[in-house]
Amino acid sequence: MKKQRVNWQGAKGKLANWQIGMGQMAKGKLAKSIVHSAVSGSNAGRGVAAGSLLHFAVFTPARLLLHFAFCILHFAVFTSATAQQPADLTPEHIEQHGMVVTGRSTGTSIKLRWAPTSASVWRRCNEHGYVVVRHTLMRNNQLLDWEERSVAIPVGSGTFRPSRDTSLWEQLAQTDQFAPIAAQAILGEDFELEGNSESVSALANRATEESNRYGFGLFAADHSYRTAMAMGLAWEDKEVKPNETYLYRVYPASVKTVPLDTLQTENGQSIPVDYYTPIDTGFFSISTNDKLILPKVQETQADFGHRMATISWNKELFKQFYVSYRVERSEDGVTWQSLRDLPFVTLERPGVETDYMFMVDTLPMNNKPYFYRVSGRTVFDDFGPPSDPVQGMGIDPLPEYFPAIISTFEDENGGFAINWNFNVEDESNIAGFRITRGPTDKGPYQIISGQELLPPALRTFTDSSPLPVNYYRVTALDRYNREMPSFSALAQLDDETPPAPPRNVRGAILKDGSMVLTWDDNKEPDLMGYRVYMGNDPKDEFTQITPRPVSQNYFIDTVMLNTLSKEIYIQVVALDYRHNTSDFSDVAVVMRPDTIPPAPPAIKDVIADASGVVIVWANSQSTDLVRHDLQRRFKGQPEWSTVSSFPALRGEPQSRYNDTTGIVGKDYEYRLMAVDNSDLESFSPTVQARRTDNYVRPAVSAVEALPDRRSKYVELRWQYGVKDEVQLFELYRAAGEEPLSRYRSYTPAELIAELTAAPSGKKAPRNKGFAFAALDKSVNMNTTYTYSVRAVYRDGGISPLSEPVKVSY
């Protein structure tokens, strides 16, 4: 095959003049289309062709409306200029290499289509071929045994390669416009675009020739099933049965293995220790009963302008079904004609992706209805059902001249005569004029010239009932009811009556010094705005604080807070467009917020004993005081907690409080916080104190002595609310009239164990707390015993003896 090139200059280029007997093809539409346009930037890429088969969609729209051949050149050259060389079959690129497969049931056969996912796989499989095998998975809706499912039956010849028979390609090219593209991609000696040999695009093309072959070739296969079969990328399997479900596998005929890891010997030799196959197998499952109903293109719209229609539709919904689209136009909704001889695709720029596709059509004339519909094309070279038709017609452009008001005069009857200019030559392009009036330049505007339009030749109109202030507009309307408004013009009646004084002036000053003032809105139609005046004394002259009239019934300003004057006095006046000024409003008093904290309290005395910590302090004497808070924290800790709050007491010089909630022996820090009615705070100096420990602990309670003469012991039981801090319980006993003396001592664990082991049926203690029990077995008959118990703590504390309890044994 001799070296071939795509000629930019015309249909006589080398692509059209193959030296394989295809000279007649150069005169067809394909050769003319390929050299149709210049090239501009876009971003397609290696995955376009493979992705088109996987998702049944090739290019996606970015509001570009390009001829099919222009899209091909656009794709190829930009890819050459920006894309990198195809990744080699290496482990880091393994995810890029594989096969994608799809199928379509005709009812009696199954059409298959497959494609490689990278240019490297494309090159390898063009040389060695593709293997297509079939597995029978199910029969009569029943899953077959593994032995039968695992049998791989070759499809067709078993191995598919691109045809190298130039006569076959020449014959196919006579009727298939995509065949020359595929033949050049496979058989051409090179695949460069002719141009300046030193240009950047020429150098980039040579660097990425394989990517261009891959992209062009698979694009042609996606749009011609016969071309795909000649390329070894399609086959119709007719040896199928209607009651069976099949799994098709496609993989390279020559499976290349690559070392995944190697072992280095001492002499530097690399020994492979593991291998992998870098080209994934493609799978697809289908039966003859799987009939695919192609969807109808949705969200089709047409926007019409001057001899132009922009047709759009949602391509994102159908990217898994269609690779390109056909747009048709009709003048009667019955007979349709395609707008392009070739499939319509668009390109998408990075960062500006859209779900919609667009196409612009030039209309033969305006004001005539046209119909449009869109249908999608699949990789099996057929079309889905067309979309619902959309209808519209082109409209004439707007006139170049708009109306312009030249004067507004007050007549002797108190009305306004409005006069305007309009281009006489454009009178035939409009339906008439409409006069509107508004109280301000921004409106709202109301029609005052009636519902019927004024004649196109009219240039004057009188408003017999004007407002005190009027803004007029003259609007021309064309046959499509499009509006062409003039600029607004102001007209005012003579007026010497001032507005009424504003009422209910009020305001507030925030803690940051912002002052917000508001008042009731005046109702005069010619009201222009308000002016605000401020003073620190109602007897002094007020100062204007609004640099210009404010149109709203509120005003925001900033005032000083660090001043002895607590009140600010406000007055407001209203004025109309004739600058007639109202009387002053009533004086409004606005209070400045309090920014001075209250005087701090002072702690005068601290008394600590076993019962608690008594704090004595001198109260804050600020007049706006709300309360005192006594706060406490562990010594050295950052967080304060409030022990108690005390409302402000007028006339009380000092207060005191006994804090009994502190833990004995813990060091605390105390302070007093004063809070005023503005939530400002001040604090006393900090003092330290601790609740002292007298080492006297609570007495043991509920002591009971129960004699058991049959078992010859006295069972003692008692309650105590503490267990872990107690080291010993001491038992005191006296016989007869003897004084009590220490008899025995027990740990809490020993007493609980004895209680557990005591005979059942004994009455349990009634009081709350931990239950303890001991057995006194050294007792004599006919003797009265007195018992008492006390607790000895681990820190040295001792409880007093419990109330004595007597028992006769």
Side-chain angles (χ1 to χ4, degrees):
M1 191 70 170
K2 294 184 177 181
K3 186 174 183 180
Q4 309 297 327
R5 294 179 183 271
V6 178
N7 194 315
W8 287 63
Q9 305 302 322
K12 298 181 181 180
K14 294 183 180 180
L15 175 64
N17 192 22
W18 283 11
Q19 299 177 13
I20 56 172
M22 294 188 184
Q24 296 303 318
M25 289 171 18
K27 301 178 181 179
K29 297 179 180 177
L30 176 66
K32 296 178 181 178
S33 298
I34 292 180
V35 295
H36 179 266
S37 303
V39 178
S40 60
S42 179
N43 186 16
R46 171 200 55 77
V48 170
S52 68
L53 179 60
L54 178 62
H55 298 297
F56 302 106
V58 181
F59 298 14
T60 52
R63 298 178 183 267
L64 302 176
L65 304 160
L66 307 176
H67 192 279
F68 166 65
F70 173 72
C71 293
I72 294 179
L73 286 176
H74 196 154
F75 158 62
V77 177
F78 189 80
T79 301
S80 302
T82 62
Q84 298 179 352
Q85 285 281 12
D88 202 359
L89 303 180
T90 56
E92 56 268 25
H93 301 104
I94 186 171
E95 294 182 357
Q96 301 180 12
H97 310 298
M99 298 288 175
V100 287
V101 190
T102 187
R104 172 81 66 80
S105 171
T106 65
T108 58
S109 65
I110 293 176
K111 288 186 174 182
L112 296 174
R113 275 279 285 113
W114 59 88
T117 60
S118 71
S120 299
V121 180
W122 154 267
R123 179 185 71 246
R124 183 173 184 82
C125 292
N126 282 347
E127 179 181 355
H128 299 284
Y130 306 88
V131 175
V132 183
V133 297
R134 183 184 69 213
H135 296 262
T136 304
L137 300 182
M138 301 177 66
R139 184 176 296 116
N140 296 326
N141 294 325
Q142 297 296 321
L143 184 67
L144 301 180
D145 295 337
W146 165 250
E147 290 77 8
E148 187 173 357
R149 297 201 312 268
S150 61
V151 176
I153 302 174
V155 174
S157 62
T159 302
F160 296 84
R161 291 184 179 87
S163 175
R164 302 286 177 175
D165 185 354
T166 56
S167 62
L168 181 146
W169 284 107
E170 181 179 2
Q171 181 181 0
L172 183 60
Q174 300 299 325
T175 57
D176 192 333
Q177 56 191 349
F178 295 98
I181 301 175
Q184 179 71 3
I186 296 173
L187 303 178
E189 187 173 333
D190 64 19
F191 204 79
E192 298 178 13
L193 302 178
E194 284 193 349
N196 184 355
S197 60
E198 301 300 324
S199 67
V200 175
S201 61
L203 296 174
N205 269 330
R206 289 196 294 272
T208 58
E209 178 180 336
E210 187 173 76
S211 293
N212 287 334
R213 290 178 181 267
Y214 168 68
F216 277 112
L218 267 67
F219 185 85
D222 281 348
H223 289 80
S224 172
Y225 194 74
R226 291 187 301 164
T227 297
M229 294 183 68
M231 296 172 67
L233 298 177
W235 181 255
E236 184 174 2
D237 186 6
K238 298 181 179 180
E239 297 180 0
V240 294
K241 298 179 181 180
N243 61 339
E244 292 182 343
T245 300
Y246 304 103
L247 173 69
Y248 291 91
R249 294 194 298 124
V250 182
Y251 53 89
S254 174
V255 179
K256 180 180 180 181
T257 58
V258 180
L260 184 62
D261 198 1
T262 58
L263 180 65
Q264 300 292 330
T265 63
E266 294 182 356
N267 58 5
Q269 183 180 3
S270 298
I271 302 176
V273 295
D274 196 5
Y275 293 87
Y276 78 99
T277 301
I279 302 177
D280 288 338
T281 300
F283 299 88
F284 189 78
S285 178
I286 191 174
S287 73
T288 56
N289 297 327
D290 294 334
K291 284 290 190 176
L292 176 63
I293 300 177
L294 295 175
K296 181 166 52 176
V297 176
Q298 301 292 329
E299 300 184 27
T300 305
Q301 295 181 356
D303 296 324
F304 291 83
H306 174 50
R307 297 192 63 182
M308 180 189 71
T310 302
I311 303 93
S312 63
W313 61 95
N314 192 324
K315 55 86 182 173
E316 188 68 17
L317 298 175
F318 309 102
K319 65 181 181 181
Q320 295 184 353
F321 299 96
Y322 302 128
V323 295
S324 61
Y325 293 89
R326 178 178 62 192
V327 181
E328 297 174 293
R329 185 181 71 194
S330 173
E331 297 183 1
D332 55 8
V334 177
T335 304
W336 297 88
Q337 182 181 5
S338 177
L339 298 181
R340 298 287 186 273
D341 294 332
L342 297 172
F344 179 72
V345 297
T346 61
L347 302 180
E348 188 172 79
R349 295 183 184 273
V352 291
E353 293 83 1
T354 176
D355 292 345
Y356 291 86
M357 234 171 159
F358 298 86
M359 183 178 187
V360 174
D361 180 35
T362 301
L363 301 177
M365 64 177 63
N366 288 332
N367 305 313
K368 178 181 179 179
Y370 292 95
F371 301 84
Y372 291 91
R373 68 182 185 183
V374 182
S375 54
R377 185 172 188 167
T378 74
V379 294
F380 296 98
D381 199 8
D382 57 357
F383 288 90
S387 66
D388 294 333
V390 291
Q391 178 187 2
M393 60 183 181
I395 56 178
D396 297 330
L398 284 171
E400 296 183 1
Y401 295 93
F402 280 36
I405 298 177
I406 57 176
S407 64
T408 55
F409 292 105
E410 184 177 356
D411 59 19
E412 63 277 5
N413 298 321
F416 278 110
I418 303 119
N419 302 288
W420 65 91
N421 279 338
F422 188 73
N423 187 30
V424 177
E425 296 178 356
D426 281 329
E427 288 182 359
S428 60
N429 295 327
I430 65 172
F433 297 101
R434 176 180 293 156
I435 314 299
T436 57
R437 181 186 66 196
T440 67
D441 183 38
K442 296 181 180 180
Y445 285 88
Q446 296 180 346
I447 300 174
I448 61 173
S449 58
Q451 298 301 319
E452 297 293 331
L453 296 179
L454 302 178
L458 191 65
R459 297 294 185 270
T460 183
F461 176 80
T462 300
D463 179 12
S464 58
S465 302
L467 302 173
V469 177
N470 307 269
Y471 284 87
Y472 293 106
R473 283 182 182 175
V474 178
T475 303
L477 291 90
D478 65 6
R479 70 184 67 182
Y480 309 107
N481 207 34
R482 293 178 296 181
E483 296 184 353
M484 293 161 280
S486 69
F487 291 108
S488 58
L490 172 64
Q492 293 178 294
L493 296 172
D494 290 336
D495 180 18
E496 296 181 358
T497 303
R503 302 182 60 185
N504 294 328
V505 180
R506 52 205 180 273
I509 301 177
L510 308 181
K511 291 184 177 180
D512 62 354
S514 300
M515 179 175 64
V516 181
L517 304 174
T518 185
W519 52 89
D520 294 349
D521 203 359
N522 280 39
K523 303 302 181 182
E524 290 83 0
D526 60 342
L527 183 73
M528 182 175 70
Y530 307 89
R531 296 187 184 275
V532 182
Y533 296 81
M534 182 181 73
N536 289 323
D537 192 305
K539 298 180 181 179
D540 294 341
E541 183 177 355
F542 284 28
T543 302
Q544 180 180 306
I545 59 175
T546 48
R548 62 185 61 86
V550 294
S551 58
Q552 304 88 358
N553 63 329
Y554 62 86
F555 181 68
I556 300 175
D557 198 9
T558 302
V559 298
M560 293 181 57
L561 298 179
N562 296 326
T563 176
L564 297 178
S565 176
K566 295 296 184 182
E567 296 88 10
I568 293 179
Y569 301 92
I570 302 295
Q571 283 186 305
V572 183
V573 298
L575 63 160
D576 60 18
Y577 283 101
R578 292 287 185 177
H579 288 272
N580 298 311
T581 304
S582 73
D583 293 334
F584 282 94
S585 68
D586 294 336
V587 177
V589 181
V590 183
M591 300 295 296
R592 283 189 173 93
D594 186 8
T595 59
I596 301 175
I603 297 178
K604 300 177 63 177
D605 198 4
V606 179
I607 305 170
D609 56 21
S611 63
V613 176
V614 177
I615 307 293
V616 182
W617 69 90
N619 293 320
S620 171
Q621 299 302 312
S622 296
T623 57
D624 58 350
L625 184 71
V626 174
R627 69 178 190 277
H628 288 97
D629 290 344
L630 177 62
Q631 297 181 329
R632 181 186 72 188
R633 69 181 178 186
F634 287 111
K635 183 179 178 180
Q637 296 298 315
E639 298 296 330
W640 291 90
S641 61
T642 299
V643 178
S644 185
S645 295
F646 311 93
L649 300 175
R650 308 299 179 192
E652 292 291 337
Q654 71 178 29
S655 299
R656 63 187 293 138
Y657 180 76
N658 184 13
D659 179 17
T660 61
T661 61
I663 300 175
V664 173
K666 289 288 185 179
D667 290 330
Y668 291 96
E669 292 179 328
Y670 290 89
R671 72 179 182 183
L672 264 298
M673 179 178 69
V675 183
D676 64 12
N677 54 15
S678 297
D679 288 333
L680 300 176
E681 303 169 347
S682 62
F683 300 92
S684 71
T686 301
V687 297
Q688 297 183 16
R690 74 161 64 176
R691 184 178 175 184
T692 58
D693 191 357
N694 58 8
Y695 292 96
V696 177
R697 303 294 183 259
V700 177
S701 61
V703 179
E704 296 179 347
L706 305 175
D708 191 336
R709 296 176 180 83
R710 178 177 299 176
S711 300
K712 297 182 180 180
Y713 62 76
V714 173
E715 181 182 358
L716 298 170
R717 292 193 176 197
W718 64 87
Q719 295 284 328
Y720 204 60
V722 179
K723 180 182 72 172
D724 294 339
E725 292 86 345
V726 175
Q727 183 177 9
L728 297 171
F729 282 102
E730 293 182 338
L731 179 63
Y732 283 76
R733 188 182 78 168
E737 299 300 327
E738 295 177 357
L740 288 169
S741 62
R742 187 174 180 274
Y743 177 57
R744 286 190 63 180
S745 62
Y746 306 89
T747 65
E750 292 173 336
L751 294 172
I752 293 176
E754 285 198 20
L755 178 63
T756 304
S760 60
K762 300 296 183 180
K763 182 174 67 173
R766 294 186 300 270
N767 296 329
K768 295 181 180 179
F770 294 100
F772 301 94
L775 300 180
D776 182 11
K777 298 181 178 180
S778 300
V779 292
N780 298 317
M781 296 294 292
N782 300 321
T783 304
T784 299
Y785 293 96
T786 304
Y787 295 94
S788 185
V789 183
R790 74 176 181 181
V792 179
Y793 281 66
R794 298 181 187 277
D795 61 359
I798 300 175
S799 72
L801 288 173
S802 66
E803 289 292 331
V805 58
K806 291 185 178 184
V807 60
S808 297
Y809 182 79

